[in-house]
Amino acid sequence: MAKPQLTCLFCTSVTAPRLLCSPAGRDLGGDLLVDCGLAPAFAPVLELDLPAGFPGIAGLFGGRTLGELVRTSPRLPVPILPAAALPSAAAPVRSALQLLPQCEAGFARITLLVPLADARALGAALAVAHRYAIAWDISEPPHAELADFARWLAEENLADRSSFAGLFPYAGRAIEDAHRHRLEPTLAPLAQVGRSPLNVITIGG
């Protein structure tokens, strides 16, 4: 069986699953989502009730299979492997990422959900991915944080013009042109790894 293709989706907000449910963001989701966060940020918004000892992706070390760890949510179009139920260290997640391509569970395309705040801690372990993208909820615009992150991404050489799938800014409603122009300078550092025009995706509630 061929190894799955991995997409690393850096997320600025826990609203990222709403983007993946939209027509414009559906391709980013693949066949399975894997929450690589070091805290259970996505589980509450996805209505996932996890046991206190749920290990997240690190459960692959304990002999657990993907099938045993994966959950479904009415708020997602595909299954998800949630993050550990309790805050965890980065080391187990980094090591488990290396095991993910070897798992045989019938998922041809797997998307790693990586909160921006945890990206540096996971570091080079994210090189396991084949392509990279950024999901940016512009209603919570981390202007300085995003620009700093873009510089880090370029310095780490994780993505280049062939593997960077782009910046996906999204919002729950259409934005005004004046606001759009104010946001454009934030995109300048991203030109180092790929060019993404500020085409804001309007998503449902």
Side-chain angles (χ1 to χ4, degrees):
M1 181 180 295
K3 294 182 179 180
Q5 292 292 302
L6 302 183
T7 295
C8 177
L9 182 62
F10 297 105
C11 309
T12 68
S13 170
V14 295
T15 61
R18 294 172 58 194
L19 169 66
L20 300 180
C21 290
S22 71
R26 179 64 188 86
D27 179 64
L28 289 173
D31 306 311
L32 171 69
L33 303 176
V34 177
D35 183 355
C36 298
L38 304 182
F42 289 104
V45 300
L46 296 176
E47 301 179 3
L48 296 175
D49 186 16
L50 302 175
F54 185 77
I57 189 175
L60 296 175
F61 281 114
R64 305 278 288 273
T65 65
L66 271 182
E68 293 172 322
L69 296 168
V70 165
R71 301 289 187 270
T72 58
S73 165
R75 296 183 177 274
L76 286 176
V78 296
I80 184 171
L81 195 171
L86 297 174
S88 62
V93 177
R94 287 198 301 262
S95 297
L97 281 170
Q98 309 311 308
L99 296 178
L100 195 57
Q102 314 303 324
C103 295
E104 297 183 5
F107 298 110
R109 298 184 304 148
I110 297 176
T111 295
L112 312 175
L113 299 179
V114 180
L116 244 60
D118 297 329
R120 283 176 173 78
L122 297 177
L126 298 173
V128 70
H130 301 89
R131 66 171 181 165
Y132 301 82
I134 302 170
W136 176 21
D137 184 344
I138 64 168
S139 66
E140 307 172 12
H143 295 158
E145 180 187 10
L146 187 60
D148 182 56
F149 167 78
R151 287 189 290 269
W152 171 82
L153 184 62
E155 291 168 359
E156 286 290 307
N157 294 318
L158 284 175
D160 55 27
R161 291 182 182 274
S162 63
S163 62
F164 184 63
L167 172 70
F168 291 79
Y170 62 95
R173 57 180 175 79
I175 64 169
E176 299 176 353
D177 287 340
H179 182 52
R180 184 190 303 270
H181 294 320
R182 285 195 297 270
L183 296 176
E184 285 176 349
T186 306
L187 299 182
L190 291 169
Q192 300 176 38
V193 290
R195 300 193 179 278
S196 302
L198 188 57
N199 295 322
V200 177
I201 300 167
T202 303
I203 58 177

